[in-house]
Structures are given as C-alpha cells and as structure tokens.
C-alpha cells in the first residue's frame, strides 16, 4: 500500500508522469533490475528497512548507472539519513518519516523544473560542503490520494501468497483477497513508548471514517478485496475515546466517540462482510474489556499482539518500562480475544 500510495500521488500531481511500481515482496530483485535497465527511469524511490539494505544498495547502484536520481525512504533510511548520504554515493535524497507520498511527488516536479528542493518536505540531500535538510512534515491522512487503479492491474499475486497453507490459508474457510492499508498511525503510549520501539512518529493520526470506506469500496469493486490488513502501529489505540487519552496526559477534553466507533457508524451496509487483520496491545484489551467485542463488530478476525515475554521482570522493567504490562495482562488479553472469537497472532522476544 505504501508504494501504491506514493505512485498514486505522483500520478495525481503530474498528469504526464509514467509511473511504475515494483514490489520486492512479490518480485525477484533480478526482475526489478531488468525493468530499471530497460525502462531507464528518471527517478527511483527505494523503501529501505534494515533487512533489505542489501537489495536496496544493489538496485540503487544500478539505477545510478542508468542516470536516475535515487531516493531512499522508510525507517532505516529515516533514522540514518546523514550516514546514508555521507557514505553512499548511489543515494541522492533521503525522505524521512512515514509520509513519503507528497515529498516524492514534489521531488518529481523539481526534476521537471517546476519546483525547488526547499519545498520537498522531510528531505535530506547533498550540497557542496555538506548536507541540507527540510523540516519533517507529516501529511494529513485525510489528504491521501485514493489509489490509482491503473498502477496495479490485479492483486492476485498477493492473494496467492496469502492463501498458501504455510501462510494464512489454514485460518480461513474461504479464498482471501487481502489489501494492505494504513488508515491510521501512531500509538497512545507514544510518551512512554516501549524501549525498543524505533518508529519515527507515534502521534495519533487517522483518515476520516467516510474516506476509509471510500477506499475499501474501491478495493472491493476493482479487485474483490475481502480482507483489510491494516498496518497501523497500534490500532487498538483507536478503540479508546480521544478524551480518555488526553486526560491521561492532564489535558481536559470534551467527550467524543472513539475512532473505532465512528468507523462502525460510517460503514456502508454492503461492506459489512469485509474482514480486518490489525495490530494491538494486550493492555488495551484489559483496560477496555468491551474492545474485543467492538473490533469483532468491525469485522476483525485476527489481532497481532507483541506479548514479548512471560516473565514480569522482563515485561515491566526492560521491555515495557513504565507501562505496567505483565504476564497476567497478556493472559487476560488472550482470554478476551478467545471470548470474542478473534484469532490472536502473537510474537515474543527470544532471549534476555
């Protein structure tokens, strides 16, 4: 969804742009290399996580030989922007943060002579004698461009991967056509984040409920999507009313329904059968016992929770410092999910 969002923004910003997407999760690096070699793009963006630095370097080096301007983004590049530009001649620009769509589209206009680098938000680039940077700016999710369906002809390759029996097929009684989305971002524990969390920006942000269902309706009509894989950092944050989160930080606020409840209220009847796979926190379920029921009402069939450990000393002192989580909280969250008939998809930290 990330590269699709970026590509859609470029298409909407520059009508004449020839935009193509390459996804390393379903394409071989050699196939992407062939596309770069034959097509010779002017601008190449590469999403870089720590495990993918090797392929990113390989593709970027090739792109430079064809004359492209190379841009790196995503978490690894964001947190190592200066080092990346200082030690890697095959990277020209780094876009920091988790909102690369507008900056990338603006950069494309710069290459056309229609804008200036100083207007590319959240960017770092080389200048004579050093590196320049523009302030990090997060674009409003409400302003996100609806996906350009011309950029992806079908989602079947993703569906085939998802429905492999060694992946998720064994947990469904029907063929699943998933779509990865990012309708919301952040975590309500941003002020006391988990000590190993390296997400750049955990401030709570969300797309308007009606806009969300507009996206899902488009995905259903064009691709037959029946499961939303929402990759929000902590979707269960949005099952908590805003005023409760603010009051925890000493800010008085008028009562307002939780984002989850606003999504439910805005859902069109013909999309009630869409399923969801989301990320959450164990303590959110325990502090708000009706949360699992409300997620089930939305259509959530699976929740990914980082249980992290079974030892209270590790949970309270090391991994979740200051947030008061413990093994009993994990156990109760698992019970609440089971009672709501929602699958739990749990992860733990090995060692320590």
């Amino acid at each position: 969804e990330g590269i699709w969002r970026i590509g859609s923004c470029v298409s909407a910003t520059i009508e004449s742009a020839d935009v193509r997407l390459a996804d390393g999760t379903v394409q071989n690096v050699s196939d992407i290399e062939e596309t770069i070699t034959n097509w010779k793009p002017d601008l190449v963006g590469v999403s870089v996580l720590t495990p993918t630095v090797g392929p990113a370097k390989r593709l970027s080096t090739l792109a430079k030989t064809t004359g492209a301007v190379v841009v790196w983004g995503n978490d690894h590049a964001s947190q190592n922007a200066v080092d990346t530009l200082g030690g890697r001649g095959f990277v020209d620009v780094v876009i920091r943060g988790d909102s690369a769509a507008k900056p990338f589209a603006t950069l494309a206009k710069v290459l056309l002579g229609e804008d200036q680098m100083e207007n590319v938000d959240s960017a770092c680039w080389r200048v004579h004698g050093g590196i320049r940077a523009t302030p990090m700016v997060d674009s409003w999710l409400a302003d996100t461009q609806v996906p350009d369906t011309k950029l992806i002809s079908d989602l079947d390759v993703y569906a085939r991967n998802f429905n492999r029996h060694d992946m998720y097929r064994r947990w469904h009684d029907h063929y699943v056509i998933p779509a990865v989305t990012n309708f919301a971002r952040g975590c309500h524990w941003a002020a006391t984040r988990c000590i190993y969390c390296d997400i750049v920006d955990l401030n709570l942000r969300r797309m308007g409920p009606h806009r969300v269902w507009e996206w899902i309706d488009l995905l259903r009509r064009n691709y037959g999507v029946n499961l939303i894989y929402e990759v929000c950092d902590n979707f269960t944050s949005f099952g908590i009313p805003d005023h409760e989160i603010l009051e925890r930080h000493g800010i008085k606020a008028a009562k307002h329904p939780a984002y989850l409840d606003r999504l439910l209220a805005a859902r069109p009847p013909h999309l009630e059968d869409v399923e969801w796979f989301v990320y959450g926190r164990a303590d959110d379920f325990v502090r708000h016992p009706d949360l699992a029921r409300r997620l089930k009402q939305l259509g959530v069939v699976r929740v990914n929770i980082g249980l992290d450990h079974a030892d209270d000393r590790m949970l309270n002192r090391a991994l979740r410092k200051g947030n008061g989580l413990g093994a009993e909280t994990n156990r109760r969250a698992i019970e609440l999910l089971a009672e709501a008939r929602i699958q739990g998809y749990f992860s733990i930290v090995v060692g320590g």
Side-chain angles (χ1 to χ4, degrees):
E1 188 259 2
I3 59 173
W4 195 5
R5 183 176 292 195
I6 294 170
S8 299
C9 186
V10 174
S11 294
T13 303
I14 304 171
E15 189 174 332
S16 61
D18 182 2
V19 180
R20 303 184 193 183
L21 307 181
D23 189 343
T25 64
V26 294
Q27 292 177 261
N28 295 322
V29 174
S30 57
D31 293 335
I32 301 174
E33 286 179 319
E34 184 177 350
T35 298
I36 293 173
T37 300
N38 295 334
W39 185 36
K40 294 181 174 56
D42 301 300
L43 179 62
V44 172
V46 185
S47 179
V48 187
L49 296 173
T50 302
T52 62
V53 169
K57 177 180 177 181
R58 178 174 159 184
L59 293 171
S60 301
T61 300
L62 173 64
K64 288 303 298 177
T65 67
T66 66
V69 171
V70 175
V71 183
W72 276 21
N74 215 326
D75 289 344
H76 183 92
S78 292
Q79 297 192 30
N80 299 280
V82 174
D83 290 342
T84 295
L85 290 170
R88 295 175 173 84
F90 46 80
V91 182
D92 300 301
V93 181
V94 172
I95 294 177
R96 300 160 295 155
D98 55 9
S99 300
K102 182 181 176 183
F104 194 82
T106 305
L107 180 57
K109 292 180 65 177
V110 171
L111 297 185
L112 292 172
E114 298 176 2
D115 216 319
Q116 298 179 342
M117 279 300 300
E118 288 72 18
N119 294 328
V120 180
D121 296 333
S122 311
C124 287
W125 69 98
R126 293 187 199 85
V127 294
H128 295 299
I131 294 172
R132 290 195 62 179
T134 53
M136 287 187 60
V137 177
D138 182 55
S139 60
W140 291 95
L141 288 176
D143 297 333
T144 303
Q145 187 69 32
V146 172
D148 182 349
T149 57
K150 297 190 296 297
L151 297 179
I152 296 182
S153 57
D154 66 72
L155 297 178
D156 192 52
V157 63
Y158 298 95
R160 289 198 303 271
N161 280 350
F162 190 94
N163 286 278
R164 283 165 33 199
H165 281 279
D166 61 335
M167 292 293 286
Y168 301 105
R169 182 67 179 91
R170 62 187 183 276
W171 293 324
H172 295 270
D173 60 4
H174 57 279
Y175 190 78
V176 176
I177 303 176
V180 177
T181 63
N182 198 184
F183 295 136
R185 294 175 183 158
C187 174
H188 66 99
W189 284 106
T192 53
R193 64 169 63 205
C194 307
I195 63 171
Y196 55 76
C197 176
D198 62 356
I199 296 171
V200 175
D201 186 356
L202 282 177
N203 289 319
L204 296 178
R205 292 147 291 162
R206 54 273 177 122
M207 186 181 291
H210 291 284
R211 183 72 156 175
V212 167
W213 293 113
E214 180 185 356
W215 273 58
I216 296 174
D217 185 52
L218 179 147
L219 293 169
R220 166 62 68 85
R221 285 186 287 105
N222 285 273
Y223 306 103
V225 166
N226 54 14
L227 182 139
I228 297 299
Y229 189 168
E230 170 56 39
V231 296
C232 172
D233 311 301
N234 177 23
F235 191 76
T236 53
S237 289
F238 297 95
I240 303 170
D242 295 349
H243 66 275
E244 289 189 26
I245 298 173
L246 292 171
E247 287 170 2
R248 187 191 308 146
H249 299 288
I251 303 171
K252 291 187 176 292
K255 291 188 176 182
H256 201 261
Y259 180 66
L260 169 59
D261 299 314
R262 301 203 298 274
L263 277 177
L264 284 166
R267 180 176 58 188
H270 70 285
L271 296 176
E272 290 181 353
D273 61 338
V274 173
E275 297 177 330
W276 294 65
F277 178 6
V278 303
Y279 291 81
R281 281 176 54 111
D283 62 320
D284 287 341
F285 289 97
V286 176
R287 297 173 196 271
H288 302 272
D290 68 335
L291 178 57
R293 175 190 60 79
R294 289 154 60 219
L295 288 171
K296 184 68 174 181
Q297 191 177 353
L298 180 66
V300 173
V301 295
R302 188 176 303 113
V303 178
N304 187 325
I305 297 178
L307 299 183
D308 297 329
H309 216 281
D311 183 87
D312 281 338
R313 291 172 302 170
M314 292 292 288
L315 286 167
N316 290 323
R317 190 174 62 204
L319 296 176
R320 303 287 193 176
K321 186 176 181 181
N323 288 352
L325 290 181
E328 176 58 26
T329 301
N330 286 344
R331 186 194 64 79
R332 182 57 183 149
I334 293 171
E335 287 182 345
L336 289 167
L337 286 173
E339 291 170 7
R341 303 183 67 83
I342 296 176
Q343 293 174 353
Y345 190 85
F346 306 119
S347 57
I348 61 172
V349 176
V350 178

